[in-house]
Amino acid sequence: PLRVRPGAVVIKQGETAFEDTNYFYAIEKGTFEFFVSGASVARRSGSSPEAYFGELALLFDSPRQATAVCVSPLDEEDEGHG
């Protein structure tokens, strides 16, 4: 599992999946915010039905459509670790 701290950028809009990482991400815990051209467009958390991101670049061999930023820790116990 990938553990990220709040403020960490996991993928960047415009990069190809093979430039940054060749991954699809499933959110188990925590919350991520998504930005397109600097504007916030969505938030997803491990409790949401759409608790994943990064699939479009892999499926369509296209640049990443948004920047994904971790906005909340995995959980209280994980804050400050990882």
Side-chain angles (χ1 to χ4, degrees), residues 4-41:
V4 294
R5 293 176 186 240
V9 175
V10 179
I11 60 173
K12 291 182 181 178
Q13 180 180 6
E15 292 184 345
T16 65
F18 302 102
E19 283 178 29
D20 55 2
T21 53
N22 189 16
Y23 296 121
F24 162 82
Y25 298 89
I27 306 167
E28 184 177 340
K29 297 178 183 176
T31 303
F32 287 80
E33 188 162 7
F34 299 87
F35 298 86
V36 174
S37 299
S40 176
V41 295

Side-chain angles (χ1 to χ4, degrees), residues 20-77:
D20 55 2
T21 53
N22 189 16
Y23 296 121
F24 162 82
Y25 298 89
I27 306 167
E28 184 177 340
K29 297 178 183 176
T31 303
F32 287 80
E33 188 162 7
F34 299 87
F35 298 86
V36 174
S37 299
S40 176
V41 295
R43 276 188 178 226
R44 292 184 182 172
S45 66
S47 61
S48 71
E50 296 179 330
Y52 59 87
F53 60 94
E55 75 284 2
L56 296 177
L58 297 176
L59 290 170
F60 300 108
D61 191 26
S62 64
R64 298 288 189 180
Q65 299 298 302
T67 296
V69 179
C70 179
V71 294
S72 72
L74 298 173
D75 58 35
E76 295 289 327
E77 293 176 8

